[in-house]
Amino acid sequence: MSALVGGVEAGGTKFVCALGRDGEIVAETRIATTSPAETLAAALAFFKHQGSPAALGVASFGPIDLDERSPTHGFITTTPKPGWAHTDVAGPLRRALGVPVAFDTDVNAAALAEQRWGAARDAGSVVYVTVGTGIGGGAVVNGRPVHGLAHPEMGHARIPHDRAADPFAGACPHHGDCWEGLAAAPALAARWGVSPQSLPDDHPAWALEAHYLALGLANIILTLSPERLVLGGGVLARSGLLERVRIDVRGLIGDYVRSADIVPPALGNRSGVLGALALAADLAG
Amino acid sequence: MSALVGGVEAGGTKFVCALGRDGEIVAETRIATTSPAETLAAALAFFKHQGSPAALGVASFGPIDLDERSPTHGFITTTPKPGWAHTDVAGPLRRALGVPVAFDTDVNAAALAEQRWGAARDAGSVVYVTVGTGIGGGAVVNGRPVHGLAHPEMGHARIPHDRAADPFAGACPHHGDCWEGLAAAPALAARWGVSPQSLPDDHPAWALEAHYLALGLANIILTLSPERLVLGGGVLARSGLLERVRIDVRGLIGDYVRSADIVPPALGNRSGVLGALALAADLAG
């Protein structure tokens, strides 16, 4: 049996801490995200009470510093969340627990969890995209999450935007009508003036949403050629939307290259914390 | 000293065959690309004359089949090049030489060569983009070229296209105004009605070209977060274009994430055949 490892899904509203092995969680707690000091102390208390894990994985909201040569490796960097910009998350956990800590984005961790235990189990390369209050994307390529100078920020890619058909200027404070600015939940709410949940299934909002999601996903497929693309998040709960997106992606790519299967997540809202456990397991060996 | 390995850059107009080690070529020949049988026979004759290499790498034009579980692994697949669609390239070479054959796209191989011996030597993850008669992109992530269901086809991604400012419909036979359809050399020629070489440096064509290249590159950077992006090909020979592209990419990404350095290739037109040698060396161990 593999060693018991720890996982932290560090989110903007809650931290989920778990102890587990092989994709099974044996103990778990949820902590409201308040100040860094208070939140990290509560996470530490959980792991100390449970007995130290062999290793810890942290799947964090971002942007984060993943460069192991950087003095701020393991930090959350330029987040607008009050109190959390330039906060060391991995360091205090590593020092207090005395175990190795793996650190990655929540969406890279989710891609890893879906590949290991979820909807992408037989796929060699996986992209995970979530569409909710923002659009986030992570990927596993050649066996490991994709890192580089930083980490994927797929939600901020630019897609074609026909301003005659859709004069909405976009909701992203950084880039206006980037992918997230056109297609995340706040864009839907601002464009149509109502909560997305209240838009009926036959509202034209959903055809436009499928079109925008497909444009971004087709570009990702043409860039990474994943074997499986897992598409989740609150906006995708809309009945029929995933099938519309699949059809539009096929239309955009055509017969030129084979397109990845686009599937819903199998792990639901567990993918982040399970991904944190997967990161830890890889570190524990 | 490492073993002598063979490399084939399989291009649409010529095959470059080389024998070498550690990034040094000790023998080389160029073969015009005619029929598959004739071209592959000439390549084989070169390697048999030189003495069999320990392994062979093939860096091919595409699309190609890289799926090792596929019965057509090692084939060029749906190319429009007459006589070459659905042609087994790796198989005849492997059988005739009796050595292991590594097979990849020309641009993935070029990314590998630039990382090992060229402009991306200290970078952990690399993207290589070439802009000429088409736009092709390859990448090395987590130590190996990016494969998936197929391979990257970055040139066919969609970018914003303001038809009021640029009414040109795009030159891609598959997708119209995809990235390649807006920004490869044939698009420049068709949009302005003259050969791109004859457009003066201060022609508005170049500001538009920099803008389109930057849109595609910014999306790749946001998707893959490479440490280094190597940008080459005939169109980039235009004086000042690379610097304009750098400025526009910075403008598009803003301060949100760190953007990769965008650099010219160091290996010039040797990157394909050197990449083939790198693929072979990795196989020979």
Side-chain angles (χ1 to χ4, degrees):
Chain A
M1 198 186 294
S2 17
L4 215 48
V5 292
V8 176
E9 181 186 358
T13 57
K14 65 178 187 302
F15 272 43
V16 184
C17 302
L19 213 62
R21 60 163 64 90
D22 304 328
E24 301 292 333
I25 291 171
V26 301
E28 185 182 76
T29 191
R30 283 159 185 260
I31 299 159
T33 306
T34 56
S35 73
E38 191 177 54
T39 313
L40 291 171
L44 274 171
F46 167 79
F47 290 111
K48 287 192 164 167
H49 178 74
Q50 295 290 335
S52 249
L56 186 71
V58 180
S60 181
F61 70 104
I64 63 179
D65 186 347
L66 294 175
D67 180 353
E68 288 174 15
R69 294 160 300 187
S70 159
T72 55
H73 174 256
F75 282 50
I76 290 174
T77 59
T78 54
T79 178
K81 188 172 169 62
W84 283 84
H86 309 293
T87 292
D88 188 2
V89 173
L93 295 169
R94 184 177 56 242
R95 286 188 291 272
L97 294 172
V99 299
V101 175
F103 189 61
D104 216 315
T105 64
D106 45 9
V107 278
N108 267 346
L112 194 62
E114 290 288 348
Q115 182 188 45
R116 197 155 298 175
W117 301 302
R121 235 177 299 189
D122 49 348
S125 63
V126 179
V127 169
Y128 175 92
V129 171
T130 177
V131 184
T133 54
I135 296 183
V140 176
V141 172
N142 291 331
R144 296 204 304 271
V146 170
H147 296 177
L149 198 64
H151 49 77
E153 283 286 349
M154 303 185 192
H156 297 283
R158 255 66 164 212
I159 57 170
H161 174 201
D162 179 349
R163 284 168 185 269
D166 173 28
F168 178 62
C172 174
H174 299 282
H175 312 101
D177 65 346
C178 65
W179 192 26
E180 173 174 307
L182 288 173
L188 279 163
R191 182 185 291 111
W192 303 105
V194 294
S195 143
Q197 284 88 337
S198 71
L199 293 164
D201 284 356
D202 61 355
H203 192 282
W206 298 113
L208 187 67
E209 178 70 7
H211 174 65
Y212 285 145
L213 292 180
L215 280 165
L217 295 174
N219 282 359
I220 293 168
I221 289 168
L222 290 163
T223 303
L224 275 167
S225 190
E227 291 183 28
R228 193 74 45 82
L229 198 155
V230 181
L231 179 60
V235 171
L236 269 297
R238 170 66 49 161
S239 170
L241 182 58
L242 181 66
E243 188 46 43
R244 282 182 188 220
V245 169
R246 285 189 182 120
I247 292 167
D248 285 1
V249 167
R250 274 199 296 274
L252 286 165
I253 294 184
D255 296 331
Y256 193 73
V257 287
R258 289 167 68 199
S259 166
D261 288 335
I262 301 175
V263 299
L267 305 175
N269 61 7
R270 319 297 291 153
S271 62
V273 68
L274 286 169
L277 290 172
L279 290 168
D282 289 352
L283 209 56
Chain B
M1 199 188 294
S2 20
L4 214 50
V5 293
V8 178
E9 181 186 355
T13 57
K14 64 178 187 301
F15 273 44
V16 183
C17 303
L19 213 63
R21 60 164 66 90
D22 303 329
E24 300 294 332
I25 291 172
V26 300
E28 185 181 78
T29 191
R30 282 156 187 262
I31 298 160
T33 307
T34 56
S35 72
E38 193 176 51
T39 313
L40 291 172
L44 274 171
F46 168 79
F47 289 112
K48 287 192 166 169
H49 177 73
Q50 295 291 336
S52 249
L56 187 71
V58 179
S60 181
F61 71 104
I64 63 180
D65 186 346
L66 294 175
D67 180 354
E68 288 175 13
R69 295 160 298 188
S70 158
T72 56
H73 175 254
F75 283 50
I76 290 173
T77 58
T78 54
T79 177
K81 189 174 169 60
W84 284 84
H86 309 292
T87 292
D88 187 1
V89 173
L93 296 169
R94 185 177 55 241
R95 286 188 291 273
L97 294 174
V99 298
V101 175
F103 189 62
D104 216 314
T105 63
D106 43 11
V107 279
N108 268 346
L112 194 61
E114 290 288 349
Q115 183 187 45
R116 199 155 299 175
W117 301 303
R121 235 177 298 190
D122 50 347
S125 63
V126 179
V127 168
Y128 175 93
V129 171
T130 178
V131 184
T133 55
I135 296 182
V140 176
V141 172
N142 290 331
R144 296 204 305 273
V146 170
H147 295 178
L149 197 65
H151 49 78
E153 283 287 350
M154 303 184 192
H156 297 284
R158 256 61 164 219
I159 57 170
H161 174 202
D162 179 350
R163 284 168 185 269
D166 173 26
F168 178 62
C172 174
H174 299 283
H175 313 101
D177 65 345
C178 66
W179 193 27
E180 172 173 309
L182 288 172
L188 278 162
R191 180 184 294 112
W192 303 105
V194 294
S195 143
Q197 283 90 337
S198 70
L199 292 164
D201 284 357
D202 61 354
H203 192 282
W206 298 113
L208 187 66
E209 179 69 7
H211 174 66
Y212 285 146
L213 292 180
L215 280 164
L217 295 174
N219 282 359
I220 292 168
I221 289 167
L222 289 164
T223 303
L224 275 167
S225 190
E227 290 183 28
R228 191 74 46 82
L229 198 154
V230 181
L231 179 60
V235 170
L236 269 295
R238 171 65 51 162
S239 168
L241 182 57
L242 180 65
E243 190 44 44
R244 284 184 187 217
V245 169
R246 286 189 182 121
I247 292 166
D248 285 1
V249 167
R250 274 199 296 273
L252 285 166
I253 294 184
D255 297 330
Y256 193 71
V257 287
R258 289 167 68 199
S259 166
D261 287 337
I262 302 176
V263 299
L267 304 175
N269 61 7
R270 321 296 292 152
S271 63
V273 68
L274 286 170
L277 289 173
L279 291 168
D282 288 352
L283 209 54

